[in-house]
Amino acid sequence: AGVVPEEQRCGLERADASLSAALFQHRFAFSQPVILRGITDNSAFRALCTREKLLAAFGTRSVRLSTANTYSYRKVDVPFQEYVEQLLEPQDPARLGSDTLYFFGDNNFTEWGSLFQHYVPPPFRIPGTSPAYSFGIAGSGSGVPFHWHGPGYSEVIFGRKRWFLYPPDKTPHFHPNETTLAWLLHTYPTLPPAERPLECTLRPGEVLYFPDRWWHATLNLDTSVFISTFLG
């Protein structure tokens, strides 16, 4: 914990359980990100995501790690227990993204299905899409650099995760092989206020929705557990 601070001021709107599906479609689904809280109750899922519970259930299973660069060229398979006990460490600011391994996505739904069946995703859907889960665990200072894809949600289960977002028509300044931590330390301070991203730090139980093709990068402020629901 404490590698980098939270942002000075959250720039994203927040919504609670009073948000209706119609209002979500009208205000956020196709236009802007939003942080949701109290929409679902994932206390049962959270109870299964402690270090002890995950190691007992999945310790011997193989997990696929991706490099933490924009295009994630390299994949490495290791036992989950080895990842947790040997590779789950704070990010080295000097290490390139291509040399940094990150556990997120590439989850085999059959193997992880016993865990995923306890997760309650946000109820709001985008017409013509279907949900797919990606589960992740990562050390403090780690994260994924800027990239974009279809719409989705991301929920923090343990820890804190800082997000940086740009709309589709505003490409961020970044090097694709630079980690988010290195970008924050070296590039972010040089950006004029008008060129800085929308940003906010998510805490356990909070869910971020991001629309289609929005640029985003993430930074785990603590050792974190998180799950995303991609709407493909």
Side-chain angles (χ1 to χ4, degrees):
V3 174
V4 292
E6 298 182 8
E7 79 296 330
Q8 293 184 353
R9 180 179 179 274
C10 177
L12 301 181
E13 282 197 50
R14 295 179 182 270
D16 57 24
S18 65
L19 180 67
S20 66
L23 190 56
F24 172 81
Q25 291 285 335
H26 176 69
R27 292 191 58 190
F28 304 112
F30 305 102
S31 56
Q32 63 175 318
V34 61
I35 295 175
L36 308 171
R37 187 166 184 95
I39 302 291
T40 57
D41 178 6
N42 272 303
S43 54
F45 180 78
R46 187 171 296 111
L48 296 173
C49 290
T50 63
R51 176 188 175 99
E52 294 76 15
K53 290 286 184 64
L54 288 175
L55 283 175
F58 303 102
T60 61
R61 304 280 181 89
S62 178
V63 294
R64 176 156 291 181
L65 311 180
S66 301
T67 49
N69 51 345
T70 293
Y71 303 108
S72 297
Y73 292 116
R74 188 162 62 98
K75 307 286 186 180
V76 177
D77 294 330
V78 300
F80 180 64
Q81 185 167 349
E82 179 181 333
Y83 173 71
V84 171
E85 295 180 349
Q86 299 180 29
L87 300 176
L88 192 59
E89 56 187 17
Q91 174 71 48
D92 180 350
R95 181 171 290 179
L96 294 175
S98 57
D99 297 324
T100 302
L101 295 175
Y102 193 75
F103 174 48
F104 177 64
D106 290 307
N107 305 134
N108 184 306
F109 190 86
T110 301
E111 290 186 343
W112 291 82
S114 60
L115 178 66
F116 293 163
Q117 69 182 1
H118 294 278
Y119 181 65
V120 182
F124 309 125
R125 292 287 177 263
I126 307 299
T129 68
S130 57
Y133 296 143
S134 285
F135 180 68
I137 303 171
S140 60
S142 65
V144 177
F146 281 105
H147 63 289
W148 59 264
H149 43 68
Y153 299 95
S154 184
E155 178 168 354
V156 173
I157 306 302
F158 289 111
R160 295 169 299 154
K161 182 183 281 286
R162 187 171 169 181
W163 283 74
F164 307 90
L165 302 107
Y166 285 98
D169 60 353
K170 194 170 184 178
T171 303
H173 299 283
F174 73 101
H175 188 286
N177 200 23
E178 186 178 49
T179 64
T180 304
L181 180 58
W183 173 86
L184 180 67
L185 295 175
H186 303 139
T187 302
Y188 182 94
T190 70
L191 297 176
E195 294 183 19
R196 290 195 171 182
L198 290 172
E199 54 181 305
C200 199
T201 297
L202 266 67
R203 296 171 179 80
E206 293 184 322
V207 182
L208 172 70
Y209 168 76
F210 50 88
D212 186 31
R213 294 178 179 267
W214 271 67
W215 288 95
H216 54 280
T218 62
L219 184 66
N220 298 294
L221 303 187
D222 314 299
T223 298
S224 301
V225 179
F226 43 92
I227 185 169
S228 291
T229 306
F230 293 115
L231 303 176

